[in-house]
Amino acid sequence: GLLLIAPTSVAWLTGNYERARARLEEALSLVRPRGKWMLATILYNVCQVAIQQGQLGQAEDAGREGVACSHETGDYRALTWCLGGLACAAAARRQLHRAARMWGAAEGISESIGAPLPPFLRSFAGPYLLGVRDTVGNEQFAAAWTEGRQMTPDAVVAYVLRDEA
């Protein structure tokens, strides 16, 4: 699975999302049967590429599976990445308060484990979050973000896995 990450990154950075997605699916097929190690990280990448392809349902499926997997293994770093990806998918679906809440949760958990959200996730999420803030206003964005920030990992996982129209 690890050997597929570098070519995936090259395909992704050059805008070849179909090739990146194919590589990620290949990585999933190799990693899944061997257990949960690295699975959530690959699922986060699937989520992000699917968002860029406009396939929000597939992005959400990957993000939710990544959240469940990372919670089960106690990998809170991967949990924050998957939450960040799901926040972007929610923003793209115009689920604005949900997006702000999930981003707040990702930042709160990342701070609590001493692992700041990585620059690549922040730069990807930036335009989505600015769009949310511009639409709902600073006050509502801050309120939803604070709600998310105050959620425990268990509460965040339950929130994410619960269907919300």
Side-chain angles (χ1 to χ4, degrees), residues 85-97:
L86 284 169
C88 296
R93 279 212 194 272
R94 313 288 295 155
Q95 296 172 338
L96 306 178
H97 291 89

Side-chain angles (χ1 to χ4, degrees), residues 94-100 129-145:
R94 313 288 295 155
Q95 296 172 338
L96 306 178
H97 291 89
R98 185 171 173 83
L129 297 171
L130 283 174
V132 170
R133 191 178 333 208
D134 288 349
T135 304
V136 301
N138 285 333
E139 195 174 312
Q140 284 189 47
F141 181 89
W145 181 84

Side-chain angles (χ1 to χ4, degrees), residues 4-162:
L4 294 168
I5 299 301
T8 299
S9 298
V10 171
W12 190 340
L13 290 170
T14 57
N16 190 342
Y17 300 130
E18 284 182 26
R19 183 164 172 72
R21 185 73 178 275
R23 289 289 193 163
L24 288 167
E25 294 297 339
E26 193 178 340
L28 283 177
S29 71
L30 292 171
V31 170
R32 260 202 185 102
R34 292 171 172 79
K36 305 221 181 248
W37 184 79
M38 271 212 52
L39 186 57
T41 302
I42 297 169
L43 287 163
Y44 158 73
N45 284 285
V46 172
C47 176
Q48 196 169 353
V49 171
I51 290 169
Q52 290 174 304
Q53 292 178 304
Q55 298 170 343
L56 298 179
Q58 291 176 21
E60 290 161 338
D61 289 346
R64 281 193 196 99
E65 185 183 352
V67 162
C69 174
S70 58
H71 188 244
E72 188 179 320
T73 60
D75 184 352
Y76 287 143
R77 180 191 54 86
L79 175 62
T80 63
W81 292 14
C82 292
L83 286 171
L86 284 169
C88 296
R93 279 212 194 272
R94 313 288 295 155
Q95 296 172 338
L96 306 178
H97 291 89
R98 185 171 173 83
R101 222 174 274 127
M102 283 196 280
W103 188 256
E107 288 194 331
I109 293 167
S110 72
E111 197 173 283
S112 75
I113 63 171
L117 293 175
F120 64 80
L121 177 53
R122 289 188 177 281
S123 65
F124 179 73
Y128 292 97
L129 297 171
L130 283 174
V132 170
R133 191 178 333 208
D134 288 349
T135 304
V136 301
N138 285 333
E139 195 174 312
Q140 284 189 47
F141 181 89
W145 181 84
T146 300
E147 283 173 26
R149 225 179 130 67
Q150 293 171 345
M151 295 171 97
T152 65
D154 286 348
V156 173
V157 170
Y159 175 71
V160 166
L161 298 181
R162 184 172 65 233

